[in-house]
Amino acid sequence: MSSRAKIRLYVEHPLGAGQTVPLSRDQAHYLFGVMRQGVGAPVALFNGSQGEWTAEVEEAGKRAGVLACRQQAAPQVSPPDLWLLFAPIKKARTDFIVEKATELGAARILPVQTDFTNAERVRQDRLQAHAIEAAEQCGGTYVPPVEELQRLDRVLAGWPADRHLIFCDESLVGARAALDAAPDGEKWAILIGPVGGFSEAERARLRALPGCTAISLGPRILRADTAAVAALTLFQATRGDW
Ligand code: SAM
């Protein structure tokens, strides 16, 4: 290869030496129309499970194109088994949460409808596209799946016994309730509430859930998007992959 690939693309296609990869219409538009690349240009590809591969443009068209994989540039690195459950808030702030959760290494993102959640629906496809864009930009080789909006009570009803839930409870603001109170484990989830916080019924339900630890995120009430970033940072720095 003559030069190192600066452009990274996520593709839903197997990667391997000699493997050709067709581009979607949007990717062809981005690569050839927006980024002005042509035949022979290097591109870094990842598909979420086979690491990063250096590829070269073989065919370039306005609405389509083909890349050819040359060699693996980085191995697959997946984040710890950490889910982020959060109650969707305003559109731009919800987008921010998905973007930051991807950069910070959430393995799965679950929007949940709580008693005080205002949003009735989320555009799952748009949020998934944000996660892909964030992974492309941050150099990661993993894209967390973003689920459809589900009711929190239903999610808790089917909660897996082997997954520990870190419940960020604003009623503990300023209290000494830190993440180190949670036991060791391999499977984790963080729960962040909406602008209005959690209802007393939810709080009681969560506290009764086996394997749930309620924690404080310090002496100030954080906005939900800040709280998501703070909790993920805290986890990754103490129990995760930092
Ligand atoms: N309306 C709530 C109140 O005034 O108490 C605040 C909700 S806060 C904007 C949104 C979410 O962020 C909370 O439900 C919680 O999950 C998390 N959060 C914010 N600050 C927190 C803190 N100091 N400790 C624990 N969780 C916090």
Side-chain angles (χ1 to χ4, degrees):
M1 308 277 325
S2 51
S3 54
R4 213 176 112 67
K6 289 198 186 72
I7 300 172
R8 299 185 84 238
L9 286 181
Y10 169 79
V11 290
E12 285 180 359
H13 200 278
L15 301 175
Q19 177 79 53
T20 52
V21 180
L23 293 177
S24 69
R25 190 189 168 110
D26 285 352
Q27 286 170 329
H29 170 71
Y30 170 71
L31 204 55
F32 310 131
V34 180
M35 301 305 287
R36 303 260 162 227
Q37 302 296 304
V39 170
V43 180
L45 298 181
F46 66 105
N47 63 5
S49 61
Q50 293 178 295
E52 180 178 308
W53 285 76
T54 307
E56 212 173 87
V57 176
E58 245 182 28
E59 290 170 32
K62 270 197 172 154
R63 295 182 186 83
V66 176
L67 306 183
C69 281
R70 298 296 183 224
Q71 70 255 340
Q72 195 174 34
Q76 177 63 32
V77 179
S78 297
D81 189 353
L82 172 66
W83 299 355
L84 175 69
L85 280 69
F86 75 100
I89 41 178
K90 282 187 180 163
K91 185 172 154 297
R93 289 181 183 274
T94 297
D95 293 351
F96 175 92
I97 290 175
V98 169
E99 182 183 291
K100 299 310 161 204
T102 304
E103 291 176 37
L104 291 165
R108 187 177 177 215
I109 300 174
L110 297 92
V112 288
Q113 193 166 24
T114 63
D115 289 346
F116 300 151
T117 302
N118 289 325
E120 301 270 295
R121 55 188 289 273
V122 293
R123 284 277 311 274
Q124 183 276 338
D125 56 340
R126 224 174 41 81
L127 294 180
Q128 187 66 69
H130 276 292
I132 289 172
E133 221 177 289
E136 287 173 341
Q137 172 274 324
C138 76
T141 49
Y142 179 84
V143 178
V146 183
E147 308 296 343
E148 294 283 358
L149 183 66
Q150 304 170 63
R151 279 180 38 189
L152 177 64
D153 54 359
R154 296 214 180 122
V155 175
L156 295 181
W159 192 255
D162 59 351
R163 187 168 295 275
H164 203 89
L165 181 61
I166 301 161
F167 163 38
C168 297
D169 182 357
E170 69 276 359
S171 76
L172 294 176
V173 64
R176 286 210 157 271
L179 181 56
D180 50 18
D184 290 337
E186 295 292 319
K187 299 183 179 183
W188 295 89
I190 288 171
L191 172 63
I192 303 290
V195 176
F198 291 98
S199 68
E200 278 312 320
E202 284 171 336
R203 200 164 275 125
R205 170 88 181 79
L206 283 158
R207 284 172 180 261
L209 187 75
C212 174
T213 302
I215 70 159
S216 162
L217 293 173
R220 291 164 289 274
I221 297 275
L222 308 177
R223 295 184 86 130
D225 45 348
T226 317
V229 170
L232 286 162
T233 304
L234 187 62
F235 178 90
Q236 294 292 30
T238 55
R239 311 237 171 175
D241 63 3
W242 288 18

